[in-house]
Amino acid sequence: NKKRSDRSPLGTLHLSSKSVRVACMDDKYIDLQSSEESAFVVDDVNTIIRESIESTLQSANYHHNKVAQWTSNIMENCLKKLTALNKPFKYIVTCIITQKNGAGLHTASSCWWDNTTDGSITVKWENKTMHCLTTVFGLAI
């Protein structure tokens, strides 16, 4: 952990590879997480989504009576794993499961947010009988 300190009129800024600590003039400290620790990391979220889908659907065949439970399980697993990351985000998870029967499906989303902190990813998964589209939106707090 390399550290560096810079003096400013507001106090001392302590920098390391893991965090930023600001010592204010009144001897109080403010710890700021590094950008990586508080970022929406698409690769991590992609893994979480894929694991959640695969653990729920595995080798299942499409059955309309099971879709509601499957979508709930996928979304709950995603949210559980995302909150376990302990990052400063609010998450929105959507999941669509459709039967593979040749019908089309078009979906879209539009967001107004801060591109430097917020993010989203959609994962498409399929087997011989169904399609699953799961989207996660991460909004920095």
Side-chain angles (χ1 to χ4, degrees), residues 40-70:
F40 185 86
V41 181
V42 172
D43 291 339
D44 294 346
V45 179
N46 181 35
T47 300
I48 287 170
I49 295 170
R50 290 197 180 280
E51 288 173 355
S52 298
I53 293 170
E54 289 169 6
S55 70
T56 301
L57 299 179
Q58 296 174 359
S59 59
N61 289 317
Y62 181 86
H63 193 281
H64 70 279
N65 289 337
K66 295 181 180 181
V67 171
Q69 186 61 50
W70 289 337

Side-chain angles (χ1 to χ4, degrees), residues 10 12-24 28-39 88 141:
L10 299 175
T12 305
L13 180 64
H14 304 278
L15 304 171
S16 74
S17 62
K18 295 284 184 190
S19 66
V20 177
R21 181 172 235 208
V22 179
C24 300
K28 293 181 182 174
Y29 288 91
I30 302 170
D31 288 317
L32 304 172
Q33 293 178 321
S34 71
S35 61
E36 184 178 317
E37 289 176 347
S38 61
I141 298 175

Side-chain angles (χ1 to χ4, degrees), residues 80-133:
K80 187 177 187 183
K81 291 176 182 181
L82 289 165
T83 56
L85 295 174
N86 291 319
K87 292 192 174 193
F89 283 92
K90 290 183 180 182
Y91 296 104
I92 300 165
V93 180
T94 66
C95 182
I96 301 168
I97 295 176
T98 62
Q99 184 176 16
K100 251 189 187 177
N101 61 7
L105 172 68
H106 300 274
T107 182
S109 64
S110 179
C111 302
W112 185 73
W113 61 23
D114 184 345
N115 288 328
T116 61
T117 56
D118 304 334
S120 69
I121 179 172
T122 299
V123 172
K124 179 184 177 189
W125 179 94
E126 62 183 277
N127 66 14
K128 291 181 180 182
T129 63
M130 67 183 125
H131 297 282
C132 178
L133 286 172

